[in-house]
Amino acid sequence: PANSTGTTPVNNDSSMRPERLVAFTIQTDTAGNVIHSNSQVELDSDVYSNSLQQALQRDRDQGQFSLDGSDWAYMRLQLNNGYLYTFLDVTARQEILTNLIYSFAAVGFVMLVLLFFTSRYFANRSIQPVREAFDKQKQFIADASHELKTPLAVINTNTDVLLSNPDD
């Protein structure tokens, strides 16, 4: 239910955060003094002043900051007689983004491991015929070497016998 200011009050229990779709504006003069503020929901005045203080410290037209466990984004527009600051609670979006990053990282890691083992399996499978051909070639060379050594040994022995007895 709305109160007399037209805003919806928020549970002041410290364990309860305000609704996730919280936005408010603060109009200031050029010195940074608050002229007017407007909000969807009623928040503590500390939230307004602390948010404005964070934005003033950054001295940029837009940015983000954390305040009391919530993430806020702001934008500053220059008016004729000061500035209009718009603040938006982006905590839910930050949590979704963080969850997405962790999910993508986990899925990416699992896919890399799966891809590694799949590619290793297919690489070993495709190299198997080459490995068998190499083993057969080694066996052929060993057999040919053995087959050539035997006649050469006989010829070498007969030559040694002939050379040791030149008269015969």
Side-chain angles (χ1 to χ4, degrees):
N3 60 17
S4 61
T5 61
T7 59
T8 306
V10 175
N11 187 347
N12 288 334
D13 183 8
S14 62
S15 65
M16 298 289 294
R17 288 185 175 167
E19 296 175 4
R20 292 293 92 187
L21 199 59
V22 175
F24 60 91
T25 60
I26 298 176
Q27 185 177 354
T28 66
D29 59 12
T30 54
N33 299 319
V34 176
I35 297 172
H36 177 71
S37 64
N38 185 15
S39 177
Q40 295 174 330
V41 294
E42 186 177 316
L43 297 172
D44 289 338
S45 61
D46 291 342
V47 172
Y48 297 125
S49 60
N50 289 341
S51 297
L52 182 60
Q53 190 64 29
Q54 290 284 335
L56 290 172
Q57 284 176 355
R58 284 167 175 67
D59 196 30
R60 291 185 297 191
D61 287 338
Q62 58 186 5
Q64 278 189 290
F65 59 90
S66 292
L67 183 65
D68 297 331
S70 294
D71 294 320
W72 295 88
Y74 73 92
M75 187 165 51
R76 175 178 69 182
L77 297 173
Q78 186 166 4
L79 303 174
N80 293 337
N81 56 352
Y83 295 101
L84 177 67
Y85 290 89
T86 303
F87 296 91
L88 177 66
D89 186 358
V90 293
T91 305
R93 290 179 185 94
Q94 291 293 99
E95 290 172 359
I96 289 170
L97 183 61
T98 302
N99 289 339
L100 277 174
I101 289 171
Y102 287 141
S103 297
F104 284 149
V107 168
F109 179 74
V110 168
M111 292 308 294
L112 280 175
V113 169
L114 184 65
L115 183 64
F116 171 76
F117 285 113
T118 302
S119 63
R120 186 175 169 135
Y121 169 75
F122 283 115
N124 286 338
R125 192 170 167 198
S126 65
I127 290 176
Q128 189 63 33
V130 175
R131 188 177 291 141
E132 289 174 3
F134 184 72
D135 290 341
K136 286 180 183 178
Q137 183 181 8
K138 278 178 35 179
Q139 185 63 41
F140 173 76
I141 291 171
D143 290 346
S145 173
H146 178 69
E147 293 298 325
L148 287 174
K149 283 183 184 177
T150 302
L152 287 175
V154 170
I155 292 171
N156 194 17
T157 303
N158 287 340
T159 306
D160 284 344
V161 169
L162 286 174
L163 289 176
S164 64
N165 296 325
D167 297 334
D168 292 338

